Amino acid sequence: MVDIAITTLDGAAGEKVTLSDEIFGLEPRADILHRVVRWQLAKRQAGTHQTLGRSDIARTGKKMYKQKGTGRARHAQASAPQFRGGGRAFGPVVRSHAHDLPKKVRALGLKLALSAKAKDQQIVVVDAFSLGEAKTKAFKEQIEKLGFANALIVDGAEVEANVKLAARSVPYVDVLPVQGINVYDILRRDTLVLTKAAIDALEARFK
């Protein structure tokens, strides 16, 4: 079990909370983390890029000139890739870049990402994260009190509306509800900030 102090919104240390070893105490594995991040980024690709192939070019299909007797190379239509204005050979087509990854590997990857942050002492636990008004200035002052500038903040089932609005224009700080937590966003930020509600939800999820 990992004991970590709950940080108040003023930056002071409060009572301690115990983090489960099954979620936050695993030995990190770079190979699993790499597989999950690659799966996430591949699924994110739009795959809408496409070029015109030989059959897509609006040109006559007539043979350019006779096969023999000219002393020139043998050619068919002018839509062949070697000619200016011809179709592209082996160009990209619309497709999905997504690939399968077992659910158990995805779940393990999330646990390993949380464990890696815990091992590096890059987890901050707060009782709750809220703001009195939806002001970016107030949000910046709040995270300065907590002592981080590059972080992922994970709240409970819903992020408070004021926090969601105030955090939109703050660079290097992401705010997510607990159901949106993912390996890529955890690893790309220096600090992981979890509310007590987020920890309870994660423990219930992996119970």
Side-chain angles (χ1 to χ4, degrees):
M1 295 292 185
V2 180
D3 291 330
I4 185 170
I6 297 177
T7 305
T8 65
L9 292 182
D10 293 328
E15 60 182 23
K16 289 189 176 182
V17 64
T18 301
L19 302 180
S20 172
D21 281 342
E22 295 179 2
I23 304 173
F24 297 91
L26 303 179
E27 190 64 30
R29 285 183 54 183
D31 60 325
I32 298 293
L33 294 175
H34 175 265
R35 285 181 66 187
V36 178
V37 169
R38 182 174 171 270
W39 169 77
Q40 274 190 245
L41 296 182
K43 191 170 64 168
R44 180 184 296 184
Q45 285 185 263
T48 54
H49 50 336
Q50 185 174 10
T51 57
L52 295 178
R54 182 170 180 170
S55 61
D56 301 317
I57 298 298
R59 281 188 172 182
T60 177
K62 183 181 177 182
K63 186 172 175 66
M64 296 177 65
Y65 46 79
K66 66 179 184 177
Q67 180 86 346
K68 296 180 177 296
T70 65
R72 302 171 65 184
R74 295 170 291 183
H75 290 301
Q77 298 93 346
S79 58
Q82 64 266 36
F83 297 116
R84 184 181 182 88
R88 181 172 175 183
F90 308 113
V93 295
V94 174
R95 67 185 181 91
S96 171
H97 293 267
H99 57 269
D100 291 334
L101 190 66
K103 287 183 179 179
K104 289 184 178 180
V105 177
R106 285 181 256 164
L108 178 59
L110 182 55
K111 291 179 184 179
L112 292 172
L114 294 169
S115 297
K117 287 297 183 184
K119 183 178 181 180
D120 295 339
Q121 297 182 343
Q122 294 178 331
I123 289 183
V124 175
V125 178
V126 294
D127 193 32
F129 203 98
S130 60
L131 290 175
E133 54 183 353
K135 296 290 185 181
T136 300
K137 181 179 179 181
F139 181 80
K140 285 184 175 180
E141 290 174 351
Q142 187 68 73
I143 62 176
E144 284 174 3
K145 287 181 183 178
L146 294 172
F148 58 79
N150 187 313
L152 170 65
I153 302 171
V154 181
D155 207 341
E158 289 187 8
V159 178
E160 189 186 73
N162 288 344
V163 175
K164 187 186 298 184
L165 291 172
R168 288 188 302 178
S169 59
V170 179
Y172 309 116
V173 176
D174 301 320
V175 180
L176 291 174
V178 69
Q179 61 267 28
I181 191 170
N182 62 87
V183 174
Y184 178 69
D185 283 329
I186 291 174
L187 298 180
R188 72 195 287 257
R189 297 301 178 206
D190 294 340
T191 306
L192 175 62
V193 182
L194 299 172
T195 64
K196 188 69 170 60
I199 292 176
D200 292 340
L202 285 170
E203 290 180 346
R205 175 176 173 179
F206 292 116
K207 188 175 181 181

